[in-house]
Amino acid sequence: MVRAMPGKIFNIILLTAFTSAVYPQTGGDNVYEFLNLTPSGLISSLGGANVSLSAGNLNTAYHNPALLDKESAGCLALSYSNYLAGINYGMAIYSLSLPGAGNIAAGITYLNYGSFIESNASGVVTGTFTASEYAFNIIYSWQPDSVFSFGINFKPVLSHLEKYTSLGVAFDIGAGWRSKSRLISAGLVIRNAGFQITRYAGEPGQKLPFEIQAGATAKLAHAPLRFSLTARHLEKFDLTWDYETDTPGDSQGISGSFPDNLLRHFVAGVELIPHRNFYFSAGYNHQRRKELKTTSSASSAGLSWGFGINTTIFDLEYGRAVYHPAGSSDNISLIVRPDLLYKKLSKLN
């Protein structure tokens, strides 16, 4: 009974995903855009997207539920990002292994926009209000053999903007592959397939930020380097946009060159792992660079970097992503193994 259920759920969500795929735009006209943010310090440092890094890291399951494995069982991951303009977001997630039945994790992702001044039509200040959004994550994965894995992330969404509230539901479905040598891995994910359940103020329903991603990661056998390449928005090729007319670039005949459009789909990352307890990481996001660079200088927009410390009891990740010459984000993640921490403290006492 346990083995049959994932297949049925997979078919239902797959149908929902391809129903959502009829809307090809990539941003600016979707609800719940916060679902595309990157809580993990490691993934943030690798360019903001990765669906193939199979390394027993609980945070990677948020980007591809198929990456949730028994190596991360019993882990508690806490992530926080100091985003732009006083906005902050984060995630808390805990995982368990179900012997003979797969792996499960549950948690919450939040985005806090901060406090705003409220005024009437005449400009008279009447008070303040807040805005925030939340997504609950229930992740399940199973591994039919030693190389393939599949996963589902069920995400109920709550968005509260001043006095307006919207409820929705989103799904991620993913697949993963890992070579027997454990040096090469790959992943495919359908992200944010779903719909609004209730709308903010009676306006027409809006679509979710649907996306298809695929990627591969390779670690060198005799060198401390690991490379990742992730392809984003496989459901749509032209990622340009005419901001003056607020229309897709291709409708105005201003599409970028083929190489530029192709590069906009890819995020590249590299890790230097001189020791199992420490790593440096860096990434490049071409679309981010093209959209957020200034006319006078591209600066370091689109680049990211970070480092991590891995111990028996906890892992610490830090990532910094440059969005614009005027602003960057800092992501920090702490992955704790409470059972090992408890045993360690018990011995000290």
Side-chain angles (χ1 to χ4, degrees):
M1 185 66 178
V2 175
R3 294 178 181 273
M5 187 174 292
K8 294 180 180 179
I9 298 174
F10 186 88
N11 290 336
I12 293 172
I13 300 176
L14 188 64
L15 177 61
T16 305
F18 282 102
T19 302
S20 304
V22 298
Y23 304 105
Q25 290 82 359
T26 60
D29 57 350
N30 304 311
V31 290
Y32 316 144
E33 285 282 1
F34 78 103
L35 296 174
N36 284 329
L37 294 175
T38 306
S40 164
L42 171 60
I43 303 302
S44 174
S45 70
L46 294 175
N50 191 300
V51 298
S52 58
L53 185 56
S54 179
N57 186 315
L58 178 55
N59 279 328
T60 62
Y62 179 77
H63 298 270
N64 183 354
L67 297 180
L68 179 65
D69 55 28
K70 62 182 181 181
E71 295 180 37
S72 59
C75 290
L76 172 64
L78 305 172
S79 299
Y80 174 80
S81 176
N82 180 20
Y83 204 42
L84 309 173
I87 300 172
N88 59 79
Y89 65 91
M91 179 177 70
I93 190 169
Y94 182 76
S95 67
L96 289 172
S97 179
L98 306 175
N103 307 284
I104 190 169
I108 185 172
T109 307
Y110 77 91
L111 174 68
N112 180 14
Y113 293 98
S115 180
F116 299 84
I117 297 175
E118 183 178 10
S119 60
N120 59 24
S122 301
V124 178
V125 176
T126 58
T128 61
F129 66 92
T130 60
S132 56
E133 297 183 285
Y134 305 87
F136 301 92
N137 298 271
I138 303 173
I139 305 174
Y140 175 73
S141 71
W142 70 98
Q143 191 171 355
D145 55 38
S146 61
V147 296
F148 288 100
S149 60
F150 302 92
I152 300 172
N153 186 1
F154 173 60
K155 300 186 290 188
V157 179
L158 168 63
S159 177
H160 181 71
L161 310 177
E162 202 249 344
K163 62 181 179 181
Y164 304 98
T165 299
S166 173
L167 300 175
V169 62
F171 302 91
D172 298 342
I173 55 177
W177 173 86
R178 191 174 184 180
S179 67
K180 293 184 178 180
S181 67
R182 295 295 190 258
L183 295 177
I184 303 175
S185 57
L188 173 67
V189 183
I190 298 172
R191 286 178 53 84
N192 301 324
F195 50 87
Q196 273 185 294
I197 298 175
T198 62
R199 302 163 189 173
Y200 293 100
E203 76 284 356
Q206 300 179 61
K207 57 187 178 294
L208 275 62
F210 175 83
E211 183 179 358
I212 301 176
Q213 298 182 0
T217 297
K219 186 179 185 304
L220 301 184
H222 303 291
L225 292 172
R226 184 162 57 194
F227 301 91
S228 293
L229 187 65
T230 305
R232 303 184 63 239
H233 290 297
L234 297 180
E235 77 285 355
K236 176 180 172 64
F237 175 68
D238 196 331
L239 299 183
T240 59
W241 191 266
D242 184 355
Y243 292 97
E244 295 184 359
T245 61
D246 196 29
T247 56
D250 51 10
S251 69
Q252 300 297 314
I254 61 169
S255 298
S257 64
F258 177 83
D260 177 58
N261 258 314
L262 185 63
L263 288 174
R264 285 173 183 253
H265 285 270
F266 288 97
V267 176
V270 60
E271 299 164 81
L272 172 64
I273 313 172
H275 190 274
R276 65 178 182 176
N277 298 122
F278 192 80
Y279 71 84
F280 295 98
S281 51
Y284 175 69
N285 187 317
H286 187 69
Q287 184 184 14
R288 184 184 295 169
R289 182 175 182 85
K290 294 293 289 187
E291 291 187 345
L292 298 178
K293 69 179 182 179
T294 63
T295 55
S296 59
S297 172
S299 184
S300 54
L303 299 177
S304 55
W305 61 273
F307 63 87
I309 300 173
N310 303 319
T311 70
T312 304
I313 298 176
F314 71 90
D315 299 338
L316 180 65
E317 305 172 356
Y318 171 78
R320 182 174 179 83
V322 182
Y323 289 88
H324 186 272
S328 304
S329 70
D330 296 289
N331 297 63
I332 186 167
S333 297
L334 178 65
I335 303 176
V336 183
R337 299 165 184 84
D339 56 338
L340 296 180
L341 178 60
Y342 176 77
K343 291 178 181 178
K344 187 71 172 180
L345 293 176
S346 297
K347 290 181 179 180
L348 294 177
N349 294 331

